[in-house]
Amino acid sequence: MRYLFSILLMLVLTVPAMAVQPEEMLADPLLETRAQSLDKVIRCVQCQSENIASSNADWAKDARVMVRQLLTEGRGDQEIMSFFVERYGERVLMTPQLNGSNLILWIAGPLMLLLSFAGIFLYSRRTKPNSSDILTAEEEARLQELLKD
């Protein structure tokens, strides 16, 4: 029972706390829902591995406030994302857009994987034993004789 309690306590304590503070939340539940969905797709430029919804950095807090301010001004989700992209570049998006130079990066990984498989396939076809590599009956008998000694 003691171990079960310890495990449960560890699980509860390791659940990440949401960084959005109560004073940041909007009164309108529809706008707050939109704000929370936007918070999940905008990257914290200070942390770089977290979205602004889960980051406790000062920049992320300011960005969350800015998202809510832009929503109350009546801006759309795409406009808000464009607002952040204009100021911080595409690295501010958790999933970069599929266009321009990003397209090369999106295609490079799978392409390299296919080229690797093709290289392995061609190498394995080239190194198959041919008829000259197979022992004749006499050579096989001689080999067995040598191995017995």
Side-chain angles (χ1 to χ4, degrees), residues 85-103:
V85 169
E86 285 174 15
R87 280 155 185 77
Y88 303 103
E90 283 199 34
R91 71 178 182 274
V92 79
L93 299 176
M94 289 300 285
T95 306
Q97 297 172 354
L98 186 63
N99 61 17
S101 62
N102 286 344
L103 190 60

Side-chain angles (χ1 to χ4, degrees), residues 14 16 23-24 27 41 56 63 71 79 86 89 96 104 106 111 113 125 130 136:
T14 58
E23 65 269 7
E24 295 175 14
V41 296
N56 287 320
L71 279 172
E79 286 179 292
E86 285 174 15
I104 295 169
W106 280 97
L111 183 64
L113 184 65
R125 288 198 50 168
N130 56 25
T136 64

Side-chain angles (χ1 to χ4, degrees), residues 17-26 32 36 39 52-53 55-56 61 64-65 68:
M18 293 308 289
V20 178
Q21 302 299 315
E23 65 269 7
E24 295 175 14
M25 297 179 100
L26 295 171
E32 182 59 30
Q36 288 178 6
D39 288 349
I52 63 173
S55 175
N56 287 320
K61 182 181 188 302
R64 287 191 302 268
V65 170
R68 282 153 180 79

Side-chain angles (χ1 to χ4, degrees), residues 8-87:
L8 288 174
L9 183 62
M10 286 189 300
L11 288 174
V12 169
L13 292 176
T14 58
V15 172
M18 293 308 289
V20 178
Q21 302 299 315
E23 65 269 7
E24 295 175 14
M25 297 179 100
L26 295 171
D28 183 3
L30 182 61
L31 285 180
E32 182 59 30
T33 303
R34 284 180 54 203
Q36 288 178 6
S37 67
L38 284 167
D39 288 349
K40 291 177 184 171
V41 296
I42 299 173
R43 182 188 316 269
C44 174
V45 295
Q46 192 172 359
C47 307
Q48 301 219 356
S49 63
E50 294 181 294
N51 56 31
I52 63 173
S54 60
S55 175
N56 287 320
D58 291 334
W59 186 90
K61 182 181 188 302
D62 294 341
R64 287 191 302 268
V65 170
M66 181 57 71
V67 165
R68 282 153 180 79
Q69 181 182 352
L70 292 170
L71 279 172
T72 55
E73 290 175 4
R75 302 235 186 135
D77 293 357
Q78 195 59 41
E79 286 179 292
I80 294 171
M81 289 174 54
S82 296
F83 172 85
F84 281 95
V85 169
E86 285 174 15
R87 280 155 185 77

Side-chain angles (χ1 to χ4, degrees), residues 129-148:
N130 56 25
S131 60
S132 65
D133 293 339
I134 299 172
L135 297 176
T136 64
E138 294 171 2
E139 293 170 334
E140 186 72 35
R142 176 72 179 139
L143 178 63
Q144 292 303 323
E145 244 181 71
L146 291 172
L147 288 175
K148 286 181 186 178

